[in-house]
Amino acid sequence: MSEVHLPPATGPDFEGYSCPVPIQKHEVVVMGHGSGGRMSRDLLNRVFLPGLGLSAPRSLDDSAVIAVNGLRLALTTDSHVVSPLFFPGGDIGRLAVCGTVNDLAMVGAQPLALTVAFVLEEGLPLEELARVVASMRVAAAEAGVTIAAGDTKVVQKGSADQLFINTAGVGLIPPDVDISGANAQPGDIVILSGPIGDHGIAVLAAREDLGFETALQSDVAPLNGLVSVMLAAGRVHVLRDPTRGGLATTLNEIAELSGVAIELVESRIPLRPAVNAACEMLGFDPLYVANEGKLVACVPAGQAEAILAAMRSTPYGGEAEIIGQVLAGPGGQVTLKTAIGGTRLLDMLAGELLPRIC
Amino acid sequence: MSEVHLPPATGPDFEGYSCPVPIQKHEVVVMGHGSGGRMSRDLLNRVFLPGLGLSAPRSLDDSAVIAVNGLRLALTTDSHVVSPLFFPGGDIGRLAVCGTVNDLAMVGAQPLALTVAFVLEEGLPLEELARVVASMRVAAAEAGVTIAAGDTKVVQKGSADQLFINTAGVGLIPPDVDISGANAQPGDIVILSGPIGDHGIAVLAAREDLGFETALQSDVAPLNGLVSVMLAAGRVHVLRDPTRGGLATTLNEIAELSGVAIELVESRIPLRPAVNAACEMLGFDPLYVANEGKLVACVPAGQAEAILAAMRSTPYGGEAEIIGQVLAGPGGQVTLKTAIGGTRLLDMLAGELLPRIC
């Protein structure tokens, strides 16, 4: 966390507020603040980190590591507001369980337990809720994680959109594992576990009002099994799941946190024809479309082939590819060598591509 | 969890569903499902527990205990949807931090870290969000707990009511502590940490459309310090914070879980004149009104005076009183010896008293 002027602690009626770029009276929350891209970062830096001050000593990651009596616990939380609740290949329940399991897995933690909290809109059919809950059971069983605690709140019709689910999780990091977005090293190889954009396009297709159909299914899946196999095959420096903001935003975060450059080769990035076609039709760049069952890894060059082979032996890594490499600099820069031989600079997602994708 | 017929695990598109009382097509979520009383229990027993099946081996408590390498961790979650966001004595941020800290403290755990997840409605003034976040910082500092991880989602205007906050928490239970709602013993003394109903009435008063005003403040406060003092003074069998559903519902839960009866003495239950007056005017029974900074404890008779004295030495236990005792049976029964000499049976909250109180 950078140096910021903290507000004085004068209790809940505290009125003053200071932050790097002062908040103006007229400023309001906009959809882009939930994009996972640059505007989300802005909200974090201007409101959450200075506001929470010393009670949030780590940057407000979505997977923190805390030390307890010699153990390293991973802690993470995600609220899910995906619309619609059911989409090809998944639903909000499976998404909630997998999203949190994956956040734990991305620091190398074995998931121990999840908590689940529902905000229900008055009028939601109980049968839909029961289907979502049953889907959570299936996803939790697949990931081998226990749902240990829960909570339910109900709000009046019109005060929420059907159903929101928060899942928080706790996991245990093995002693020899040190995985972080800040650990990418020049010379590392960048591996992607499979084709990108499936989730975003599948959810989009499920929104009736877009009049857009495809046989595509969301990739939503728990990745802790894949990560276990990778860790058994070699050393891993960085793991991230490219959800909101897509692959390009995730790689920008890694490049920034590690102070390195990342160079991708466009032709190496797996992409289904259906996703490619949908993106062309809609004017989307698949590099910014959300995934919910993919991970990107930075691994030492000498171990890349062994890790890649191990990944390909698993259900969720069968289409894994080496897509690029880590360079010494310029720090924070992500570039793409295009199919036609050019080089394109990839920035973080700037605005909002697809609201309520997760 | 009782014996229920579990649905087959056929993946996220699972259609069938079985539960003790089958769900009918026309059944929908109603406000009472969020009351914390009998209807919330019904939703748990009919939807959540059978739906989650073996992935939720414990009853879906809001404070679970998991064993990790010889440590006992407490895990809890709560989503907060209180309306309005700011009320006398607190706000949704302070409520979210204290609610989760208190759930951890009620199993005797020292809070280690919280996660925080925001669902924001498009159009929410950033200044209001900043005030809520600053209030969370103050409450976390008071409780001595770290906010370790966070998440933000944004939904379109009209898809949520301003701001919902989920806080999940992890705590560490000391080796010699064994506190549970199932541990009440015949002969135990029931202690209440202070006057009831302040939170519910304060929030109600803040709802402008009720045309109701009072100088009363919510009691919202972190109780982990009070619990530490109690544990140092003697042995504690049961701790619970009587939030949604109020004192009567909480004592019913304890009586049911422990298979004991509880007898209260009405004249011993602390109640502020302003809360009493408001309840009389509105036709509420203060025994069912929510608290956010109170706890009820069952302790061995021989240790009650020492624990009571210790409680009274703390900021949040200054008005603690012995309010009743635990009897051998009938199991699950809670009775109140009234001021006029009668005996009244106290049931759980049946419907919904005050929606969106937390």
Side-chain angles (χ1 to χ4, degrees):
Chain A
M1 207 171 56
S2 57
E3 199 67 21
V4 291
H5 183 69
L6 294 174
T10 57
D13 290 318
F14 159 76
E15 292 287 341
Y17 191 76
S18 298
C19 68
V21 183
I23 290 164
Q24 306 296 319
K25 279 274 177 201
H26 68 272
E27 284 192 276
V28 299
V29 169
V30 298
M31 294 306 293
H33 284 134
S35 66
R38 195 160 295 286
M39 293 189 68
S40 298
R41 176 70 67 90
D42 190 58
L43 194 68
L44 190 65
N45 288 335
R46 291 184 58 208
V47 176
F48 293 117
L49 292 183
L52 291 172
L54 295 177
S55 65
R58 295 175 55 88
S59 69
L60 206 64
D61 261 333
D62 57 16
S63 211
V65 180
I66 60 169
V68 185
N69 290 22
L71 300 181
R72 285 186 304 160
L73 296 178
L75 263 189
T76 183
T77 185
D78 264 305
S79 286
H80 297 83
V81 299
V82 67
S83 172
L85 299 181
F86 301 90
F87 47 81
D91 59 79
I92 189 171
R94 181 170 176 83
L95 189 65
V97 169
C98 295
T100 294
V101 163
N102 292 350
D103 280 344
L104 294 174
M106 293 308 118
V107 293
Q110 269 309 116
L112 294 172
L114 304 185
T115 64
V116 181
F118 298 87
V119 174
L120 308 177
E121 184 189 14
E122 184 186 16
L124 178 76
L126 284 193
E127 209 174 33
E128 287 193 23
L129 178 61
R131 284 178 61 197
V132 168
V133 169
S135 172
M136 298 185 84
R137 177 173 79 89
V138 173
E142 184 183 351
V145 68
T146 297
I147 296 175
D151 176 58
T152 307
K153 295 295 188 311
V154 179
V155 299
Q156 298 91 341
K157 200 159 179 61
S159 291
D161 189 4
Q162 298 188 281
L163 168 57
F164 301 148
I165 302 179
N166 178 279
T167 33
V170 59
L172 184 63
I173 303 177
D176 53 336
V177 169
D178 181 20
I179 297 170
S180 160
N183 287 359
Q185 306 291 329
D188 278 359
I189 296 299
V190 181
I191 305 179
L192 177 66
S193 66
I196 56 171
D198 296 9
H199 176 73
I201 300 301
V203 172
L204 194 63
R207 291 183 186 162
E208 302 167 88
D209 57 343
L210 286 165
F212 172 78
E213 270 184 274
T214 167
L216 198 74
Q217 297 225 322
S218 166
D219 59 348
V220 56
L223 298 177
N224 54 321
L226 173 60
V227 170
S228 293
V229 165
M230 293 172 71
L231 294 180
R235 198 147 51 86
V236 174
H237 290 154
V238 177
L239 285 175
R240 284 270 168 134
D241 55 338
T243 55
R244 282 185 293 178
L247 181 64
T249 300
T250 295
L251 291 173
N252 264 277
E253 286 170 1
I254 295 170
E256 196 178 293
L257 285 167
S258 297
V260 297
I262 295 176
E263 184 185 63
L264 303 178
V265 179
E266 187 174 31
S267 60
R268 296 283 199 93
I269 300 173
L271 181 64
R272 295 188 202 289
V275 173
N276 193 30
C279 284
E280 284 191 354
M281 193 175 88
L282 296 159
F284 291 162
D285 184 336
L287 291 167
Y288 293 91
V289 176
N291 313 277
E292 291 291 344
K294 296 298 178 317
L295 63 80
V296 62
C298 301
V299 307
Q303 322 218 356
E305 286 300 335
I307 291 173
L308 182 67
M311 291 173 74
R312 286 182 172 165
S313 74
T314 69
Y316 298 126
E319 298 168 89
E321 294 287 352
I322 288 172
I323 62 166
Q325 60 181 327
V326 176
L327 306 174
Q333 182 174 295
V334 181
T335 53
L336 181 75
K337 288 170 89 170
T338 65
I340 55 167
T343 296
R344 187 181 140 206
L345 198 64
L346 292 182
D347 199 357
M348 279 193 170
L349 180 62
E352 172 62 300
L353 189 66
L354 289 170
R356 299 183 58 187
I357 207 71
C358 62
Chain B
M1 208 169 55
S2 56
E3 200 64 23
V4 290
H5 183 68
L6 293 175
T10 58
D13 289 321
F14 161 75
E15 291 289 338
Y17 191 76
S18 299
C19 68
V21 182
I23 291 164
Q24 307 295 321
K25 280 273 176 203
H26 67 273
E27 284 192 276
V28 299
V29 169
V30 298
M31 294 306 293
H33 285 134
S35 66
R38 196 160 294 287
M39 294 189 69
S40 298
R41 176 70 66 91
D42 190 59
L43 193 68
L44 190 65
N45 288 334
R46 292 184 58 208
V47 177
F48 293 116
L49 292 183
L52 292 172
L54 296 177
S55 65
R58 297 174 55 90
S59 68
L60 206 65
D61 261 335
D62 56 16
S63 210
V65 180
I66 60 170
V68 185
N69 290 21
L71 300 181
R72 285 186 303 160
L73 297 180
L75 262 188
T76 184
T77 185
D78 264 305
S79 286
H80 296 83
V81 298
V82 66
S83 172
L85 299 181
F86 301 89
F87 47 81
D91 59 80
I92 191 172
R94 181 170 176 83
L95 190 65
V97 169
C98 295
T100 294
V101 164
N102 292 350
D103 280 344
L104 294 174
M106 294 308 119
V107 292
Q110 270 308 118
L112 294 172
L114 304 184
T115 65
V116 181
F118 297 86
V119 174
L120 308 177
E121 183 189 13
E122 183 186 18
L124 178 75
L126 284 193
E127 207 174 34
E128 286 193 22
L129 178 60
R131 285 178 62 197
V132 167
V133 169
S135 172
M136 297 185 85
R137 177 172 79 88
V138 173
E142 184 183 349
V145 68
T146 297
I147 296 175
D151 176 57
T152 306
K153 295 294 187 314
V154 179
V155 297
Q156 299 90 341
K157 200 161 180 63
S159 291
D161 188 5
Q162 298 187 283
L163 168 58
F164 302 147
I165 303 179
N166 178 279
T167 34
V170 60
L172 184 63
I173 303 178
D176 54 337
V177 169
D178 181 21
I179 298 171
S180 160
N183 286 0
Q185 306 292 327
D188 277 358
I189 296 299
V190 181
I191 305 178
L192 177 67
S193 66
I196 56 170
D198 295 11
H199 176 73
I201 300 300
V203 171
L204 193 65
R207 290 182 187 162
E208 300 168 273
D209 57 345
L210 287 164
F212 172 80
E213 271 185 273
T214 167
L216 198 75
Q217 296 225 321
S218 165
D219 59 348
V220 55
L223 298 177
N224 54 321
L226 172 60
V227 170
S228 293
V229 165
M230 293 172 71
L231 294 179
R235 198 148 51 85
V236 174
H237 290 154
V238 178
L239 286 175
R240 284 270 167 133
D241 55 338
T243 55
R244 283 186 293 180
L247 181 64
T249 300
T250 296
L251 291 174
N252 266 276
E253 287 169 3
I254 295 169
E256 196 177 294
L257 285 167
S258 297
V260 296
I262 295 176
E263 185 186 64
L264 303 179
V265 179
E266 188 175 30
S267 61
R268 296 282 199 94
I269 300 173
L271 182 64
R272 295 188 203 287
V275 173
N276 193 29
C279 284
E280 285 192 354
M281 194 175 89
L282 296 159
F284 290 162
D285 184 338
L287 291 166
Y288 293 91
V289 176
N291 313 277
E292 291 290 345
K294 296 299 177 318
L295 64 80
V296 62
C298 301
V299 306
Q303 320 216 359
E305 286 301 335
I307 291 172
L308 181 66
M311 291 173 75
R312 286 182 172 166
S313 73
T314 69
Y316 298 126
E319 297 167 271
E321 294 287 352
I322 288 173
I323 62 166
Q325 60 182 325
V326 177
L327 306 174
Q333 182 175 293
V334 181
T335 53
L336 181 75
K337 289 170 87 170
T338 65
I340 56 166
T343 296
R344 190 182 137 203
L345 198 65
L346 291 183
D347 199 357
M348 278 193 170
L349 180 61
E352 172 63 301
L353 190 67
L354 289 169
R356 299 182 61 186
I357 207 70
C358 63

